[in-house]
Amino acid sequence: MSDTIYPDRARVDAHDKVRGVTRFAADVPLPRLAYAMTVPSRIVRGRLAAIDIDAAAALDGVLRVLTWRDFDGIKSAGYLMGGGFGFQSHQPMLSDQLVHRGEPIALVVAETLEIAIEAAALIQPRYEEEPFASLLDDARAETLDPQPAHNVGDAEAALAAAAFSVEAEYFSPAQFQNPMELIATVAEWRDGTLTLHEGTQNSGALKFGTAAALGLDPARVRVNSAYLGGGFGQKNSLQSQTVLAARAAILLGRPVKLVMPRAQLFHTASFRPASRHRIRLGANADGRIIAARYDADMQNSRADTFRASFSEITARLYAIENYTSSARLVRTDIQSPGYMRAPFEHPAAFAFESAVDELAYAAGRDPLAFRIANDAQTDPVTGGPFSSRFLAECLRDGAERFGWSRRDPAPGSMRAPDGTLIGWGVAVGAYKAAMAPAIARLRVRADGTTRIAVSGHEMGQGIRTAILAAVTEGLAIDPARVEIVIGDPDAAPQHVTAGSWGTASSVPVVRRAVQAMQVQFDELRNGRTVNGTIHQMLARWRRPYIEVETRLQAPGQPDAVFDRLQRGLPAAGGPEYKPFVSFSYIAHFVEVRVEPTTRRIRVPRVVSVVDCGRVVSPRTAESQVHGGVVWGIGAALREAGEIDPRFGGVLNNDLAEYIVPVNADIGAIDVAFINRPDPLLNDAGVKGLGEVSMVGVAAAIANAVYHATGRRVRQLPMRIDDLI
Ligand code: MOS
């Protein structure tokens, strides 16, 4: 492994993005483009008894109105977590059965977007409604049996013997990803080939899933997903709308654009489900955490099983020898929930790291020293080693940067001169270090250009910048003329980019391609001493190009994972590998200020120190952590989907009422990296960063609020009302 410290370099796509040159799916200009609009169901559950489309179809400029009767022979592409490709198993508009509010019941295609919207409003459905459940606590919800998660030692016996213990319940609400780029599909049908332009984290699933749904040969489905305006897990699979737009394009013989309006997205795409967390912790008289019991409930849809894995990280944060956890899924009549940035880790860390803070106070310990003293050296779950773990270093470095030693431990003891209550809180987070199989194709040409095609999706996190850093490390090529082709399954097989495995999957395989290129070039050189770039040599030797292909999977994975990769199926490995266990870690230090009369909570400064292995792209890595911390602040103080149990819909289904932080809500965010290469996971030393950055932020804020006010808030978001 090289010891390269990767240099700070600007985001490769920054210049284009600030000039508005970057082309997102909805921007693709095509001749004869038609515009589609969906009509959402106004009921939750039941049957579409009749649908009158006459007035809509008669409107000037309407090309066609599609209902379920236009989808004969089309089937669902299946659920991503159940062997299929879709965000849920239910594909709307295949029958008259309705299973969640907001699912499309008709698709209008028109010459302009305005006409499509006008026509959609003219459609008259008649429903036969059935009773439904929308909330975790609904009488009609079905709570499944608890599934055991982790079990080591004897938690009950150890809790009974504990000198100090805490027991509490925490709640995390339904949340919605709301990427700035709406889910948008431009479908083009030409000469028996379907081309989909769509910002997705999973262009492989789009290709194979759309082919399966429409009965097409996957070789005749192309996908272009060069850029996403944010994904956050919502775009990790085939959306229901892709099949609708594709069907319309095929029936009309014209390209069709469908941009799902934000209000509909709250009901037609995945989200973070509501969850409840019951935690009991025990410590001995020496301040060692000896027992944990963690039982969670999480909302699900009726049809699909989105498994909870809350304790995957919490079982590893500390050296707790007696740990038992379980999760119950609660079936409700809602679209299938799914992955939203740090899907389980954020709510789990909020609950668990709040409880650890409560335990530290119960035991009369400083919350920072308590955490460092309980750090795990080996994995408490498997007993095996961690590939690398610098969590205690994150805590120590962060405490130094934050000035933790100046903290007065008594709650309510720190005040600004104007009476504002000051609270300082700490919490840690972890996130699995995973890797997906990847194939890289690298071509260096005599004309001065280089092309790298690899699995990966650019959702704004900076994966192109990381890939470029890897391509240009140790290769004598022109870095200004490198074409990075990602999000295109025909250029290189595409695995879903999620789970924070993007860099750890793309960069190591690209480094291997670079090494293979060096070998090829050396062979070509054949002992001759040459000056200049590879391009210049190729030109001199009249070779138009050299191309190499390399592949890499997670440690210990069989070669069969490449077969899954080639078919658009998920095949990532981790965090448990045969000889070791791998996670990224973070420590957050937060200052809150609580206005004494209004109890308004502000977060003027955060210090976050990360162990994500080696940092490949310093600029975009720091930006990721800023984004994660901001999201953590939003999750702690702002974000919640308000679901009305009478109508089964999200009431605040727009950005005016689904509140996220704005610039005025964000103070200083100081980010530091341990930047020590992981020696085992891959030879780039990369673990993973995106999601860990928000894990623990909400707990650090809750812990700071407690320190400021003496009030322990156990549900998110924490609001003024909780402190009055
Ligand atoms: Mo992420 S929530 O795994 O895209």
Side-chain angles (χ1 to χ4, degrees):
M1 177 173 13
S2 84
D3 291 324
T4 316
I5 298 286
Y6 283 97
D8 183 53
R9 74 158 79 220
R11 193 184 275 274
V12 294
D13 41 26
H15 194 239
D16 284 348
K17 281 191 173 172
V18 296
R19 289 181 304 143
V21 170
T22 306
R23 194 165 271 175
F24 295 90
D27 305 329
V28 172
L30 291 172
R32 299 181 69 236
L33 183 63
Y35 297 80
M37 182 48 59
T38 40
V39 178
S41 163
R42 296 290 177 210
I43 68 162
V44 176
R45 221 188 138 78
R47 200 173 77 85
L48 183 61
I51 183 162
D52 181 352
I53 62 167
D54 291 352
L59 198 68
D60 204 24
V62 169
L63 297 165
R64 183 149 182 174
V65 179
L66 282 75
T67 68
W68 63 273
R69 293 177 203 280
D70 296 290
F71 285 78
D72 210 28
I74 313 298
K75 59 183 179 111
S76 165
Y79 177 46
L80 185 73
M81 303 316 291
F85 303 97
F87 98 85
Q88 63 179 6
S89 54
H90 175 69
Q91 168 65 51
M93 290 185 62
L94 298 191
S95 79
D96 57 359
Q97 294 302 309
L98 302 174
V99 305
H100 62 82
R101 190 182 173 92
E103 66 172 282
I105 56 169
L107 185 77
V108 179
V109 190
E111 293 289 355
T112 69
L113 178 61
E114 291 73 13
I115 296 170
I117 291 170
E118 188 183 344
L122 297 175
I123 286 175
Q124 301 284 342
R126 193 163 58 74
Y127 302 109
E128 283 167 9
E129 277 192 75
E130 288 167 23
F132 59 86
S134 303
L135 301 174
L136 210 47
D137 294 314
D138 213 300
R140 290 199 174 84
E142 182 196 2
T143 302
L144 304 184
D145 290 339
Q147 297 294 309
H150 294 94
N151 198 8
V152 290
D154 185 342
E156 290 298 337
L159 278 166
F164 307 100
S165 61
V166 294
E167 176 169 1
E169 188 172 290
Y170 305 84
F171 179 77
S172 173
Q175 296 181 327
F176 297 81
Q177 290 92 335
N178 279 299
M180 286 309 296
E181 181 204 27
L182 298 166
I183 295 178
T185 308
V186 174
E188 224 184 325
W189 176 249
R190 207 173 3 170
D191 305 327
T193 294
L194 179 70
T195 303
L196 299 168
H197 306 272
E198 180 175 324
T200 173
Q201 298 169 243
N202 196 345
S203 51
L206 248 67
K207 179 185 178 77
F208 291 94
T210 309
L214 299 177
L216 299 172
D217 176 358
R220 315 234 53 168
V221 181
R222 300 255 163 80
V223 181
N224 160 25
S225 181
Y227 291 95
L228 290 73
F232 316 118
Q234 192 172 55
K235 295 176 183 161
N236 71 0
S237 45
L238 179 66
Q239 307 295 327
S240 343
Q241 74 165 40
T242 312
V243 170
L244 307 184
R247 179 70 174 159
I250 291 169
L251 289 176
L252 282 163
R254 282 178 66 164
V256 170
K257 170 151 82 175
L258 173 57
V259 180
M260 186 66 70
R262 192 166 299 277
Q264 289 190 30
L265 266 187
F266 278 78
H267 299 106
T268 52
S270 79
F271 66 105
R272 187 197 306 280
S275 57
R276 188 181 294 113
H277 310 255
R278 291 174 301 281
I279 295 180
R280 293 161 65 201
L281 293 178
N284 68 13
D286 301 333
R288 276 193 43 236
I289 310 176
I290 53 169
R293 167 116 214 181
Y294 180 175
D295 301 292
D297 293 335
M298 187 181 82
Q299 182 180 24
N300 258 246
S301 64
R302 285 288 174 196
D304 296 322
T305 299
F306 178 58
R307 282 189 196 290
S309 73
F310 294 112
S311 70
E312 182 178 78
I313 61 154
T314 53
R316 268 81 183 216
L317 293 180
Y318 302 103
I320 306 174
E321 286 171 9
N322 303 285
Y323 187 106
T324 298
S325 58
S326 74
R328 292 188 303 188
L329 303 183
V330 180
R331 295 214 181 276
T332 56
D333 299 291
I334 198 148
Q335 77 268 27
S336 291
Y339 299 91
M340 170 164 152
R341 198 174 195 175
F344 309 108
E345 298 76 7
H346 149 65
F350 164 65
F352 202 84
E353 278 290 273
S354 291
V356 166
D357 215 65
E358 299 197 40
L359 184 62
Y361 279 97
R365 307 269 161 168
D366 170 74
L368 170 70
F370 188 66
R371 284 177 167 83
I372 293 174
N374 281 287
D375 188 31
Q377 299 305 310
T378 54
D379 178 26
V381 175
T382 61
F386 292 112
S387 59
S388 62
R389 179 177 171 115
F390 298 105
L391 180 54
E393 286 78 355
C394 292
L395 282 164
R396 287 196 195 94
D397 285 13
E400 185 75 33
R401 297 173 85 96
F402 188 81
W404 187 264
S405 63
R406 299 194 308 275
R407 180 179 183 267
D408 182 332
S413 62
M414 289 172 63
R415 294 202 176 222
D418 67 356
T420 299
L421 300 162
I422 298 174
W424 287 3
V426 62
V428 300
Y431 193 92
K432 66 171 184 270
M435 279 179 71
I439 292 173
R441 296 183 179 131
L442 175 62
R443 180 181 284 213
V444 181
R445 303 190 187 93
D447 69 3
T449 63
T450 299
R451 181 184 201 259
I452 178 75
V454 66
S455 172
H457 298 85
E458 176 64 72
M459 33 193 153
Q461 83 278 41
I463 200 166
R464 281 173 198 278
T465 311
I467 291 170
L468 185 67
V471 174
T472 54
E473 183 197 351
L475 207 57
I477 56 164
D478 180 354
R481 299 181 73 193
V482 180
E483 183 195 6
I484 302 166
V485 185
I486 53 178
D488 177 350
D490 295 310
Q494 297 291 308
H495 188 276
V496 54
T497 304
S500 297
W501 58 63
T503 304
S505 307
S506 306
V507 163
V509 75
V510 169
R511 290 176 95 246
R512 289 208 173 181
V514 166
Q515 287 156 10
M517 179 63 68
Q518 285 163 337
V519 169
Q520 288 260 316
F521 183 62
D522 283 347
E523 276 172 16
L524 210 57
R525 210 161 47 103
N526 196 16
R528 289 171 285 193
T529 319
V530 294
N531 294 312
T533 64
I534 299 183
H535 312 293
Q536 290 163 336
M537 293 308 112
L538 291 173
R540 198 169 308 153
W541 299 331
R542 303 193 182 286
R543 276 280 298 254
Y545 63 85
I546 330 179
E547 181 166 86
V548 296
E549 179 179 303
T550 51
R551 60 183 215 172
L552 185 64
Q553 69 265 58
Q557 280 194 320
D559 282 350
V561 293
F562 290 105
D563 180 55
R564 290 183 63 84
L565 171 69
Q566 304 269 12
R567 291 186 295 131
L569 294 167
E576 293 179 18
Y577 303 92
K578 196 114 211 170
F580 59 88
V581 177
S582 199
F583 286 85
S584 289
Y585 303 93
I586 196 161
H588 301 284
F589 294 79
V590 168
E591 176 172 319
V592 299
R593 294 194 168 221
V594 179
E595 207 281 328
T597 312
T598 65
R599 315 299 275 181
R600 186 178 73 162
I601 308 165
R602 308 287 295 170
V603 184
R605 71 188 180 106
V606 179
V607 171
S608 302
V609 183
V610 195
D611 163 24
C612 59
R614 191 212 304 266
V615 176
V616 177
S617 170
R619 184 88 56 103
T620 57
E622 184 177 349
S623 167
Q624 274 282 25
V625 183
H626 285 157
V629 170
V630 170
W631 204 324
I633 294 171
L637 303 175
R638 298 281 186 274
E639 279 187 66
E642 306 290 353
I643 294 166
D644 186 329
R646 295 169 302 169
F647 308 109
V650 184
L651 290 170
N652 53 340
N653 59 351
D654 57 49
L655 287 178
E657 296 191 72
Y658 185 88
I659 310 296
V660 298
V662 297
N663 279 344
D665 296 316
I666 303 302
I669 301 172
D670 175 30
V671 177
F673 292 96
I674 301 291
N675 204 4
R676 303 250 301 256
D678 186 280
L680 298 178
L681 187 59
N682 52 65
D683 56 16
V686 172
K687 289 200 285 191
L689 175 61
E691 289 167 270
V692 77
S693 57
M694 89 170 283
V695 181
V697 175
I701 293 172
N703 297 341
V705 165
Y706 174 74
H707 181 235
T709 64
R711 198 77 73 86
R712 188 58 77 173
V713 184
R714 299 192 182 90
Q715 91 277 335
L716 298 179
M718 293 171 265
R719 287 180 170 150
I720 286 171
D721 344 2
D722 298 312
L723 298 181
I724 286 175

